[in-house]
Amino acid sequence: TESELRDLITMTLGGRAAEIVFCGEATTGAQNDLAQATKIAGDMVRKFGMSPLGSRSYEAARQALISSSVSAHTPRDHGDDTANSIDREIQRIVDEGLERAESLLREHQDAADSLAARLMEIQEMDGKEVRGALGLPEPEPVERRPANATKDSSDSSTDAEDAEVESKATSTATA
């Protein structure tokens, strides 16, 4: 859903937000996070119609522009003004995600400082220890499926996504 994609952008930019909030400036360390957040925002605008530009896909024109057979005369299905609007919308979505991540870190700065101090003492924490240090409840057990099993349509996450969320939470807390 759109809200899940916006949450994913916010989470992805947590490292950059931590640099800004805790170090006072950005570093080059978030380069991959920025690329990933930009791709998600671009897909929202170009593929999924999740923007004020309307319920329309701009993906065909993008693919034509990046294909190896493109020439200066390849027609697009939109003009320069629309292309600029797409770029501005992607930038707005990424900026909102970064602002939200910074706001969440500032709101929970005491907990993050406490977690960082604990990590300095013991150097390593698993997800259970992080949740305990932050006073968070244990997550509901997730039924593990064999890799070749059919995915249940009511379960919107995968084991890899679950592991990524836990990993990002731990790495963001250490930033």
Side-chain angles (χ1 to χ4, degrees), residues 109-153:
Q109 188 160 356
D110 290 342
D113 289 342
S114 172
L115 183 62
R118 180 73 177 134
L119 278 167
M120 294 299 288
E121 291 173 19
I122 63 174
Q123 298 297 311
E124 190 175 308
M125 295 174 83
D126 64 19
K128 184 175 183 175
E129 292 169 312
V130 170
R131 285 186 295 278
L134 296 175
L136 299 173
E138 286 296 314
E140 294 293 320
V142 176
E143 181 181 327
R144 301 293 178 187
R145 298 173 301 281
N148 60 355
T150 305
K151 184 174 174 162
D152 178 56
S153 62

mmCIF file of all heavy atoms in Angstrom, residues 109-153:
data_model
loop_
_atom_site.group_PDB
_atom_site.id
_atom_site.type_symbol
_atom_site.label_atom_id
_atom_site.label_comp_id
_atom_site.label_asym_id
_atom_site.label_seq_id
_atom_site.Cartn_x
_atom_site.Cartn_y
_atom_site.Cartn_z
ATOM 1 N N GLN A 109 14.861 10.399 21.123
ATOM 2 C CA GLN A 109 16.297 10.566 21.274
ATOM 3 C C GLN A 109 16.819 10.001 22.590
ATOM 4 O O GLN A 109 17.892 9.397 22.627
ATOM 5 C CB GLN A 109 16.707 12.036 21.132
ATOM 6 C CG GLN A 109 18.211 12.205 21.087
ATOM 7 C CD GLN A 109 18.639 13.518 20.486
ATOM 8 O OE1 GLN A 109 17.825 14.297 20.020
ATOM 9 N NE2 GLN A 109 19.933 13.766 20.496
ATOM 10 N N ASP A 110 16.079 10.151 23.671
ATOM 11 C CA ASP A 110 16.537 9.609 24.955
ATOM 12 C C ASP A 110 16.700 8.094 24.877
ATOM 13 O O ASP A 110 17.696 7.543 25.359
ATOM 14 C CB ASP A 110 15.570 9.980 26.084
ATOM 15 C CG ASP A 110 15.600 11.462 26.427
ATOM 16 O OD1 ASP A 110 16.586 12.144 26.051
ATOM 17 O OD2 ASP A 110 14.646 11.939 27.067
ATOM 18 N N ALA A 111 15.728 7.427 24.273
ATOM 19 C CA ALA A 111 15.809 5.970 24.139
ATOM 20 C C ALA A 111 16.984 5.586 23.242
ATOM 21 O O ALA A 111 17.706 4.627 23.531
ATOM 22 C CB ALA A 111 14.509 5.417 23.577
ATOM 23 N N ALA A 112 17.191 6.334 22.163
ATOM 24 C CA ALA A 112 18.310 6.040 21.259
ATOM 25 C C ALA A 112 19.645 6.258 21.963
ATOM 26 O O ALA A 112 20.576 5.455 21.799
ATOM 27 C CB ALA A 112 18.212 6.904 20.010
ATOM 28 N N ASP A 113 19.742 7.325 22.755
ATOM 29 C CA ASP A 113 20.971 7.581 23.510
ATOM 30 C C ASP A 113 21.244 6.466 24.510
ATOM 31 O O ASP A 113 22.376 6.008 24.664
ATOM 32 C CB ASP A 113 20.892 8.930 24.242
ATOM 33 C CG ASP A 113 20.963 10.124 23.298
ATOM 34 O OD1 ASP A 113 21.415 9.961 22.140
ATOM 35 O OD2 ASP A 113 20.547 11.223 23.720
ATOM 36 N N SER A 114 20.187 6.005 25.184
ATOM 37 C CA SER A 114 20.314 4.924 26.146
ATOM 38 C C SER A 114 20.756 3.638 25.447
ATOM 39 O O SER A 114 21.644 2.924 25.942
ATOM 40 C CB SER A 114 18.978 4.719 26.855
ATOM 41 O OG SER A 114 19.007 3.573 27.663
ATOM 42 N N LEU A 115 20.167 3.362 24.308
ATOM 43 C CA LEU A 115 20.533 2.175 23.547
ATOM 44 C C LEU A 115 21.982 2.258 23.068
ATOM 45 O O LEU A 115 22.739 1.294 23.160
ATOM 46 C CB LEU A 115 19.590 2.002 22.356
ATOM 47 C CG LEU A 115 19.789 0.768 21.505
ATOM 48 C CD1 LEU A 115 19.563 -0.494 22.326
ATOM 49 C CD2 LEU A 115 18.845 0.804 20.319
ATOM 50 N N ALA A 116 22.386 3.424 22.602
ATOM 51 C CA ALA A 116 23.771 3.606 22.143
ATOM 52 C C ALA A 116 24.755 3.399 23.291
ATOM 53 O O ALA A 116 25.800 2.763 23.113
ATOM 54 C CB ALA A 116 23.940 4.989 21.530
ATOM 55 N N ALA A 117 24.418 3.933 24.467
ATOM 56 C CA ALA A 117 25.295 3.752 25.625
ATOM 57 C C ALA A 117 25.415 2.272 25.981
ATOM 58 O O ALA A 117 26.513 1.781 26.278
ATOM 59 C CB ALA A 117 24.760 4.544 26.817
ATOM 60 N N ARG A 118 24.311 1.558 25.936
ATOM 61 C CA ARG A 118 24.337 0.120 26.235
ATOM 62 C C ARG A 118 25.173 -0.633 25.197
ATOM 63 O O ARG A 118 25.954 -1.515 25.540
ATOM 64 C CB ARG A 118 22.900 -0.423 26.265
ATOM 65 C CG ARG A 118 22.806 -1.885 26.554
ATOM 66 C CD ARG A 118 23.108 -2.188 28.019
ATOM 67 N NE ARG A 118 22.933 -3.621 28.237
ATOM 68 C CZ ARG A 118 23.810 -4.375 28.902
ATOM 69 N NH1 ARG A 118 24.865 -3.829 29.460
ATOM 70 N NH2 ARG A 118 23.595 -5.654 29.044
ATOM 71 N N LEU A 119 25.036 -0.266 23.938
ATOM 72 C CA LEU A 119 25.826 -0.901 22.882
ATOM 73 C C LEU A 119 27.321 -0.628 23.061
ATOM 74 O O LEU A 119 28.151 -1.487 22.757
ATOM 75 C CB LEU A 119 25.370 -0.422 21.503
ATOM 76 C CG LEU A 119 24.151 -1.134 20.948
ATOM 77 C CD1 LEU A 119 23.602 -0.383 19.737
ATOM 78 C CD2 LEU A 119 24.489 -2.560 20.568
ATOM 79 N N MET A 120 27.660 0.549 23.545
ATOM 80 C CA MET A 120 29.073 0.864 23.799
ATOM 81 C C MET A 120 29.636 -0.051 24.888
ATOM 82 O O MET A 120 30.802 -0.422 24.837
ATOM 83 C CB MET A 120 29.246 2.335 24.198
ATOM 84 C CG MET A 120 28.915 3.304 23.079
ATOM 85 S SD MET A 120 29.953 3.117 21.620
ATOM 86 C CE MET A 120 31.475 3.776 22.239
ATOM 87 N N GLU A 121 28.774 -0.433 25.826
ATOM 88 C CA GLU A 121 29.216 -1.318 26.897
ATOM 89 C C GLU A 121 29.412 -2.751 26.421
ATOM 90 O O GLU A 121 30.422 -3.381 26.750
ATOM 91 C CB GLU A 121 28.172 -1.346 28.032
ATOM 92 C CG GLU A 121 28.043 -0.076 28.814
ATOM 93 C CD GLU A 121 26.874 -0.138 29.791
ATOM 94 O OE1 GLU A 121 26.399 -1.248 30.124
ATOM 95 O OE2 GLU A 121 26.423 0.931 30.220
ATOM 96 N N ILE A 122 28.430 -3.276 25.689
ATOM 97 C CA ILE A 122 28.469 -4.703 25.366
ATOM 98 C C ILE A 122 28.787 -4.990 23.899
ATOM 99 O O ILE A 122 28.972 -6.142 23.536
ATOM 100 C CB ILE A 122 27.158 -5.401 25.769
ATOM 101 C CG1 ILE A 122 25.970 -4.839 24.983
ATOM 102 C CG2 ILE A 122 26.923 -5.310 27.250
ATOM 103 C CD1 ILE A 122 24.672 -5.594 25.229
ATOM 104 N N GLN A 123 28.844 -3.968 23.059
ATOM 105 C CA GLN A 123 29.266 -4.052 21.657
ATOM 106 C C GLN A 123 28.322 -4.755 20.703
ATOM 107 O O GLN A 123 28.418 -4.555 19.508
ATOM 108 C CB GLN A 123 30.658 -4.690 21.539
ATOM 109 C CG GLN A 123 31.753 -3.918 22.216
ATOM 110 C CD GLN A 123 31.954 -2.540 21.608
ATOM 111 O OE1 GLN A 123 32.059 -2.416 20.410
ATOM 112 N NE2 GLN A 123 31.999 -1.517 22.445
ATOM 113 N N GLU A 124 27.425 -5.587 21.184
ATOM 114 C CA GLU A 124 26.555 -6.346 20.287
ATOM 115 C C GLU A 124 25.248 -6.668 20.991
ATOM 116 O O GLU A 124 25.250 -7.049 22.158
ATOM 117 C CB GLU A 124 27.262 -7.638 19.888
ATOM 118 C CG GLU A 124 26.585 -8.399 18.789
ATOM 119 C CD GLU A 124 27.417 -9.597 18.359
ATOM 120 O OE1 GLU A 124 28.607 -9.436 18.056
ATOM 121 O OE2 GLU A 124 26.831 -10.698 18.351
ATOM 122 N N MET A 125 24.135 -6.509 20.266
ATOM 123 C CA MET A 125 22.818 -6.839 20.821
ATOM 124 C C MET A 125 21.989 -7.489 19.726
ATOM 125 O O MET A 125 22.036 -7.060 18.576
ATOM 126 C CB MET A 125 22.087 -5.570 21.288
ATOM 127 C CG MET A 125 22.746 -4.839 22.436
ATOM 128 S SD MET A 125 21.924 -3.273 22.817
ATOM 129 C CE MET A 125 20.594 -3.850 23.853
ATOM 130 N N ASP A 126 21.207 -8.503 20.109
ATOM 131 C CA ASP A 126 20.279 -9.073 19.136
ATOM 132 C C ASP A 126 18.949 -8.327 19.240
ATOM 133 O O ASP A 126 18.776 -7.440 20.077
ATOM 134 C CB ASP A 126 20.126 -10.580 19.337
ATOM 135 C CG ASP A 126 19.499 -10.969 20.668
ATOM 136 O OD1 ASP A 126 18.846 -10.116 21.315
ATOM 137 O OD2 ASP A 126 19.655 -12.133 21.063
ATOM 138 N N GLY A 127 18.014 -8.695 18.380
ATOM 139 C CA GLY A 127 16.726 -8.001 18.342
ATOM 140 C C GLY A 127 15.988 -8.035 19.660
ATOM 141 O O GLY A 127 15.381 -7.049 20.078
ATOM 142 N N LYS A 128 16.035 -9.171 20.348
ATOM 143 C CA LYS A 128 15.347 -9.302 21.632
ATOM 144 C C LYS A 128 15.937 -8.329 22.663
ATOM 145 O O LYS A 128 15.209 -7.683 23.410
ATOM 146 C CB LYS A 128 15.451 -10.745 22.132
ATOM 147 C CG LYS A 128 14.698 -11.003 23.403
ATOM 148 C CD LYS A 128 14.741 -12.475 23.785
ATOM 149 C CE LYS A 128 13.918 -12.703 25.033
ATOM 150 N NZ LYS A 128 13.820 -14.113 25.369
ATOM 151 N N GLU A 129 17.262 -8.217 22.685
ATOM 152 C CA GLU A 129 17.917 -7.295 23.620
ATOM 153 C C GLU A 129 17.598 -5.841 23.284
ATOM 154 O O GLU A 129 17.394 -5.018 24.189
ATOM 155 C CB GLU A 129 19.429 -7.519 23.608
ATOM 156 C CG GLU A 129 19.845 -8.859 24.200
ATOM 157 C CD GLU A 129 21.312 -9.172 23.945
ATOM 158 O OE1 GLU A 129 21.764 -9.031 22.793
ATOM 159 O OE2 GLU A 129 21.988 -9.563 24.916
ATOM 160 N N VAL A 130 17.532 -5.520 22.005
ATOM 161 C CA VAL A 130 17.190 -4.149 21.588
ATOM 162 C C VAL A 130 15.778 -3.827 22.041
ATOM 163 O O VAL A 130 15.535 -2.764 22.633
ATOM 164 C CB VAL A 130 17.332 -3.972 20.057
ATOM 165 C CG1 VAL A 130 16.751 -2.645 19.601
ATOM 166 C CG2 VAL A 130 18.794 -4.077 19.629
ATOM 167 N N ARG A 131 14.826 -4.720 21.763
ATOM 168 C CA ARG A 131 13.451 -4.479 22.194
ATOM 169 C C ARG A 131 13.363 -4.332 23.700
ATOM 170 O O ARG A 131 12.657 -3.459 24.208
ATOM 171 C CB ARG A 131 12.541 -5.609 21.698
ATOM 172 C CG ARG A 131 12.236 -5.530 20.204
ATOM 173 C CD ARG A 131 11.213 -6.564 19.771
ATOM 174 N NE ARG A 131 11.680 -7.936 19.922
ATOM 175 C CZ ARG A 131 12.463 -8.566 19.048
ATOM 176 N NH1 ARG A 131 12.871 -7.954 17.961
ATOM 177 N NH2 ARG A 131 12.842 -9.809 19.258
ATOM 178 N N GLY A 132 14.092 -5.169 24.437
ATOM 179 C CA GLY A 132 14.084 -5.075 25.896
ATOM 180 C C GLY A 132 14.637 -3.748 26.385
ATOM 181 O O GLY A 132 14.075 -3.117 27.280
ATOM 182 N N ALA A 133 15.758 -3.312 25.810
ATOM 183 C CA ALA A 133 16.374 -2.043 26.212
ATOM 184 C C ALA A 133 15.466 -0.856 25.919
ATOM 185 O O ALA A 133 15.486 0.147 26.636
ATOM 186 C CB ALA A 133 17.715 -1.864 25.500
ATOM 187 N N LEU A 134 14.659 -0.975 24.871
ATOM 188 C CA LEU A 134 13.751 0.116 24.507
ATOM 189 C C LEU A 134 12.365 -0.034 25.121
ATOM 190 O O LEU A 134 11.500 0.814 24.926
ATOM 191 C CB LEU A 134 13.621 0.203 22.976
ATOM 192 C CG LEU A 134 14.892 0.566 22.225
ATOM 193 C CD1 LEU A 134 14.656 0.493 20.725
ATOM 194 C CD2 LEU A 134 15.390 1.941 22.641
ATOM 195 N N GLY A 135 12.151 -1.130 25.874
ATOM 196 C CA GLY A 135 10.851 -1.345 26.502
ATOM 197 C C GLY A 135 9.764 -1.718 25.503
ATOM 198 O O GLY A 135 8.594 -1.445 25.732
ATOM 199 N N LEU A 136 10.163 -2.359 24.407
ATOM 200 C CA LEU A 136 9.199 -2.760 23.390
ATOM 201 C C LEU A 136 8.763 -4.206 23.633
ATOM 202 O O LEU A 136 9.554 -5.026 24.078
ATOM 203 C CB LEU A 136 9.819 -2.647 21.993
ATOM 204 C CG LEU A 136 10.271 -1.249 21.586
ATOM 205 C CD1 LEU A 136 11.013 -1.302 20.260
ATOM 206 C CD2 LEU A 136 9.072 -0.320 21.493
ATOM 207 N N PRO A 137 7.516 -4.515 23.305
ATOM 208 C CA PRO A 137 7.043 -5.895 23.496
ATOM 209 C C PRO A 137 7.659 -6.833 22.459
ATOM 210 O O PRO A 137 8.106 -6.391 21.398
ATOM 211 C CB PRO A 137 5.531 -5.776 23.292
ATOM 212 C CG PRO A 137 5.365 -4.597 22.386
ATOM 213 C CD PRO A 137 6.482 -3.637 22.767
ATOM 214 N N GLU A 138 7.645 -8.101 22.799
ATOM 215 C CA GLU A 138 8.093 -9.115 21.847
ATOM 216 C C GLU A 138 7.087 -9.175 20.707
ATOM 217 O O GLU A 138 5.878 -9.053 20.937
ATOM 218 C CB GLU A 138 8.185 -10.483 22.524
ATOM 219 C CG GLU A 138 9.366 -10.620 23.460
ATOM 220 C CD GLU A 138 10.701 -10.519 22.738
ATOM 221 O OE1 GLU A 138 10.870 -11.154 21.677
ATOM 222 O OE2 GLU A 138 11.575 -9.808 23.245
ATOM 223 N N PRO A 139 7.556 -9.354 19.487
ATOM 224 C CA PRO A 139 6.609 -9.459 18.371
ATOM 225 C C PRO A 139 5.844 -10.774 18.430
ATOM 226 O O PRO A 139 6.287 -11.738 19.064
ATOM 227 C CB PRO A 139 7.521 -9.415 17.136
ATOM 228 C CG PRO A 139 8.841 -9.904 17.621
ATOM 229 C CD PRO A 139 8.937 -9.477 19.069
ATOM 230 N N GLU A 140 4.705 -10.775 17.775
ATOM 231 C CA GLU A 140 3.923 -12.007 17.675
ATOM 232 C C GLU A 140 4.743 -13.032 16.909
ATOM 233 O O GLU A 140 5.449 -12.679 15.963
ATOM 234 C CB GLU A 140 2.608 -11.742 16.948
ATOM 235 C CG GLU A 140 1.660 -10.829 17.707
ATOM 236 C CD GLU A 140 1.143 -11.460 18.977
ATOM 237 O OE1 GLU A 140 0.848 -12.686 18.964
ATOM 238 O OE2 GLU A 140 1.041 -10.750 19.989
ATOM 239 N N PRO A 141 4.659 -14.300 17.300
ATOM 240 C CA PRO A 141 5.402 -15.331 16.560
ATOM 241 C C PRO A 141 4.941 -15.382 15.108
ATOM 242 O O PRO A 141 3.759 -15.232 14.815
ATOM 243 C CB PRO A 141 5.058 -16.627 17.278
ATOM 244 C CG PRO A 141 4.399 -16.239 18.546
ATOM 245 C CD PRO A 141 3.905 -14.839 18.408
ATOM 246 N N VAL A 142 5.890 -15.564 14.212
ATOM 247 C CA VAL A 142 5.601 -15.673 12.790
ATOM 248 C C VAL A 142 5.769 -17.122 12.385
ATOM 249 O O VAL A 142 6.795 -17.731 12.677
ATOM 250 C CB VAL A 142 6.560 -14.777 11.957
ATOM 251 C CG1 VAL A 142 6.325 -14.978 10.473
ATOM 252 C CG2 VAL A 142 6.398 -13.323 12.353
ATOM 253 N N GLU A 143 4.749 -17.657 11.750
ATOM 254 C CA GLU A 143 4.837 -19.036 11.290
ATOM 255 C C GLU A 143 5.815 -19.100 10.129
ATOM 256 O O GLU A 143 5.675 -18.386 9.136
ATOM 257 C CB GLU A 143 3.462 -19.525 10.832
ATOM 258 C CG GLU A 143 3.461 -20.959 10.362
ATOM 259 C CD GLU A 143 2.088 -21.398 9.894
ATOM 260 O OE1 GLU A 143 1.084 -20.927 10.454
ATOM 261 O OE2 GLU A 143 2.051 -22.205 8.974
ATOM 262 N N ARG A 144 6.840 -19.909 10.266
ATOM 263 C CA ARG A 144 7.851 -20.046 9.215
ATOM 264 C C ARG A 144 7.374 -21.064 8.190
ATOM 265 O O ARG A 144 6.871 -22.119 8.539
ATOM 266 C CB ARG A 144 9.199 -20.482 9.796
ATOM 267 C CG ARG A 144 9.752 -19.515 10.815
ATOM 268 C CD ARG A 144 10.099 -18.231 10.139
ATOM 269 N NE ARG A 144 10.591 -17.286 11.138
ATOM 270 C CZ ARG A 144 10.846 -16.034 10.884
ATOM 271 N NH1 ARG A 144 10.664 -15.556 9.689
ATOM 272 N NH2 ARG A 144 11.290 -15.246 11.827
ATOM 273 N N ARG A 145 7.532 -20.728 6.926
ATOM 274 C CA ARG A 145 7.137 -21.603 5.831
ATOM 275 C C ARG A 145 8.370 -22.133 5.134
ATOM 276 O O ARG A 145 9.368 -21.424 5.033
ATOM 277 C CB ARG A 145 6.325 -20.821 4.803
ATOM 278 C CG ARG A 145 5.045 -20.242 5.337
ATOM 279 C CD ARG A 145 4.404 -19.342 4.304
ATOM 280 N NE ARG A 145 5.218 -18.224 3.861
ATOM 281 C CZ ARG A 145 5.392 -17.078 4.532
ATOM 282 N NH1 ARG A 145 4.833 -16.920 5.699
ATOM 283 N NH2 ARG A 145 6.112 -16.114 4.040
ATOM 284 N N PRO A 146 8.284 -23.350 4.618
ATOM 285 C CA PRO A 146 9.384 -23.825 3.779
ATOM 286 C C PRO A 146 9.509 -22.911 2.557
ATOM 287 O O PRO A 146 8.520 -22.316 2.122
ATOM 288 C CB PRO A 146 8.947 -25.227 3.347
ATOM 289 C CG PRO A 146 7.863 -25.621 4.302
ATOM 290 C CD PRO A 146 7.250 -24.354 4.802
ATOM 291 N N ALA A 147 10.703 -22.774 2.021
ATOM 292 C CA ALA A 147 10.956 -21.867 0.904
ATOM 293 C C ALA A 147 10.070 -22.155 -0.295
ATOM 294 O O ALA A 147 9.692 -21.251 -1.026
ATOM 295 C CB ALA A 147 12.421 -21.940 0.493
ATOM 296 N N ASN A 148 9.676 -23.411 -0.492
ATOM 297 C CA ASN A 148 8.863 -23.743 -1.658
ATOM 298 C C ASN A 148 7.359 -23.709 -1.378
ATOM 299 O O ASN A 148 6.563 -24.018 -2.242
ATOM 300 C CB ASN A 148 9.254 -25.126 -2.207
ATOM 301 C CG ASN A 148 9.061 -26.219 -1.166
ATOM 302 O OD1 ASN A 148 8.734 -25.950 -0.019
ATOM 303 N ND2 ASN A 148 9.290 -27.457 -1.588
ATOM 304 N N ALA A 149 6.969 -23.322 -0.161
ATOM 305 C CA ALA A 149 5.553 -23.268 0.197
ATOM 306 C C ALA A 149 4.896 -22.062 -0.448
ATOM 307 O O ALA A 149 5.522 -21.036 -0.684
ATOM 308 C CB ALA A 149 5.392 -23.200 1.712
ATOM 309 N N THR A 150 3.603 -22.165 -0.696
ATOM 310 C CA THR A 150 2.837 -21.058 -1.245
ATOM 311 C C THR A 150 2.635 -20.023 -0.158
ATOM 312 O O THR A 150 2.263 -20.344 0.967
ATOM 313 C CB THR A 150 1.465 -21.552 -1.758
ATOM 314 O OG1 THR A 150 1.688 -22.595 -2.687
ATOM 315 C CG2 THR A 150 0.696 -20.422 -2.388
ATOM 316 N N LYS A 151 2.836 -18.762 -0.512
ATOM 317 C CA LYS A 151 2.688 -17.671 0.453
ATOM 318 C C LYS A 151 1.216 -17.443 0.752
ATOM 319 O O LYS A 151 0.393 -17.370 -0.140
ATOM 320 C CB LYS A 151 3.305 -16.399 -0.117
ATOM 321 C CG LYS A 151 3.276 -15.257 0.870
ATOM 322 C CD LYS A 151 4.008 -14.065 0.338
ATOM 323 C CE LYS A 151 3.806 -12.925 1.309
ATOM 324 N NZ LYS A 151 4.736 -11.895 1.160
ATOM 325 N N ASP A 152 0.895 -17.338 2.048
ATOM 326 C CA ASP A 152 -0.458 -17.042 2.483
ATOM 327 C C ASP A 152 -0.756 -15.591 2.145
ATOM 328 O O ASP A 152 0.011 -14.697 2.488
ATOM 329 C CB ASP A 152 -0.569 -17.284 4.000
ATOM 330 C CG ASP A 152 -1.942 -16.951 4.526
ATOM 331 O OD1 ASP A 152 -2.927 -17.504 4.014
ATOM 332 O OD2 ASP A 152 -2.013 -16.135 5.463
ATOM 333 N N SER A 153 -1.869 -15.312 1.507
ATOM 334 C CA SER A 153 -2.181 -13.946 1.058
ATOM 335 C C SER A 153 -2.414 -12.994 2.216
ATOM 336 O O SER A 153 -2.326 -11.791 2.047
ATOM 337 C CB SER A 153 -3.403 -13.962 0.145
ATOM 338 O OG SER A 153 -4.530 -14.430 0.855
#
